[in-house]
């Protein structure tokens, strides 16, 4: 059975991704900062729960230690936890907070997970990034991203995608890919009009989470295929 950890999985795209991977036979660990909400989400799904705050080193280490003790390995890691900030004129402390979750959180969890991923026969890591972090998309007048101003969110997602590329180079035995799941109706986008159902966006994540050993690595992809950086 494929052992999978999804961060920030108590709601939204993470929750929908967990449901779809469970349907495919994965043993899914729902990682969530809030133990009560995460536990309820895992129970509703029929998944397992680990308390995991990507901004807390001890929490991350404890979560991966729990998985190691129970499973001995990790086959799939989905970096889904993140925060949205669209302030056009943010201050320093706000910037530190966004990057601590959206970027440094990926480093914390990846570092703790790598020993377990290396024990897998076909390890896969998926980062839920955004085309807002793509230089090509944000400078293309024909793209919606061109007209959106969100300095911290865009910059943090650019960094998240670059981290994915660098990990792919450093760990050729692991499939590392970033995905643009699409504009989705979630709590994070509640103040924005539109957004498609989380189930549709989760399918983009699931496609990359179920890659075989010959699948791509070091890409930023959406439902239509590889995106330009």
């Amino acid at each position: 059975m494929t052992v999978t950890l999804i961060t920030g999985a108590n709601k939204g795209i993470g929750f929908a991704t967990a449901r779809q991977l469970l349907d495919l036979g994965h043993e899914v660990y729902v990682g969530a900062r809030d133990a009560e909400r995460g536990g309820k989400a895992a129970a509703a799904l029929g998944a397992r729960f680990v308390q995991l705050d990507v901004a807390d080193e001890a929490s991350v280490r404890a979560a991966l230690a729990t998985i190691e003790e129970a499973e001995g390995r990790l086959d799939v890691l989905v970096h889904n936890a993140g925060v949205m900030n669209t302030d056009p004129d943010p201050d320093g402390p706000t910037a530190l907070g966004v990057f601590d979750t959206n970027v440094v959180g990926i480093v914390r969890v990846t570092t703790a997970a790598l020993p377990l991923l290396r024990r897998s026969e076909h390890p896969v890591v998926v980062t839920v990034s955004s085309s807002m972090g793509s230089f090509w998309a944000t400078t293309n007048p024909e793209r919606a991203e061109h007209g959106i101003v969100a300095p911290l969110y865009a910059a943090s997602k650019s960094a998240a995608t670059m981290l994915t590329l660098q990990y792919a180079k450093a760990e050729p035995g692991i499939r590392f890919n970033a995905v643009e799941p699409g504009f989705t109706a979630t709590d994070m986008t509640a103040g924005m009009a539109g957004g498609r159902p989380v189930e549709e966006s989760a399918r983009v994540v699931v496609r990359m989470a179920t890659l075989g050993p010959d699948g791509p690595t070091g890409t930023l992809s959406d439902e239509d295929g590889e995106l330009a950086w």
Side-chain angles (χ1 to χ4, degrees):
M1 184 176 289
T2 303
V3 180
T4 299
L5 168 64
I6 306 173
T7 68
N10 61 296
K11 59 182 179 179
I13 294 173
F15 185 87
T17 298
R19 187 187 296 281
Q20 292 179 23
L21 290 176
L22 282 163
D23 288 344
L24 293 174
H26 287 223
E27 180 75 51
V28 175
Y29 282 80
V30 169
R33 180 175 55 184
D34 186 288
E36 182 178 358
R37 293 177 183 175
K40 288 181 178 178
L45 289 166
R48 300 195 177 191
F49 170 68
V50 285
Q51 194 279 329
L52 197 164
D53 180 353
V54 301
D56 184 280
E57 194 81 39
S59 169
V60 171
R61 289 198 304 267
L64 272 297
T66 296
I67 296 173
E68 179 176 26
E69 183 176 357
E71 310 291 349
R73 72 181 196 284
L74 182 63
D75 301 304
V76 178
L77 169 61
V78 178
H79 292 294
N80 175 71
V83 294
M84 170 76 80
N85 184 289
T86 57
D87 187 346
D89 186 24
D91 58 20
T94 302
L96 286 172
V98 171
F99 272 76
D100 196 29
T101 296
N102 291 1
V103 182
V104 183
I106 292 173
V107 176
R108 291 189 185 97
V109 178
T110 302
T111 298
L114 275 174
L116 298 181
L117 289 163
R118 291 173 183 143
R119 298 175 195 168
S120 171
E121 292 185 7
H122 305 300
V124 173
V125 178
V126 182
T127 298
V128 179
S129 189
S130 172
S131 55
M132 280 297 296
S134 164
F135 286 85
W136 167 76
T138 55
T139 58
N140 185 342
E142 296 182 0
R143 298 277 300 198
E145 298 90 341
H146 181 266
I148 300 174
V149 178
L152 296 182
Y153 182 75
S156 68
K157 288 302 183 179
S158 182
T161 300
M162 181 55 72
L163 273 175
T164 303
L165 173 61
Q166 295 300 318
Y167 278 127
K169 292 180 178 181
E171 296 285 340
I174 303 175
R175 305 292 89 184
F176 277 91
N177 292 286
V179 298
E180 157 56 78
F183 178 46
T184 312
T186 67
D187 288 352
M188 287 177 62
T189 60
M192 305 176 188
R196 65 185 187 180
V198 291
E199 292 78 13
E200 292 184 27
S201 296
R203 282 195 284 271
V204 181
V205 183
V206 169
R207 175 169 56 85
M208 299 307 284
T210 53
L211 285 176
D214 296 324
T217 189
T219 68
L220 170 62
S221 302
D222 64 3
E223 60 187 343
D224 296 320
E226 190 169 343
L227 285 166
W229 294 87

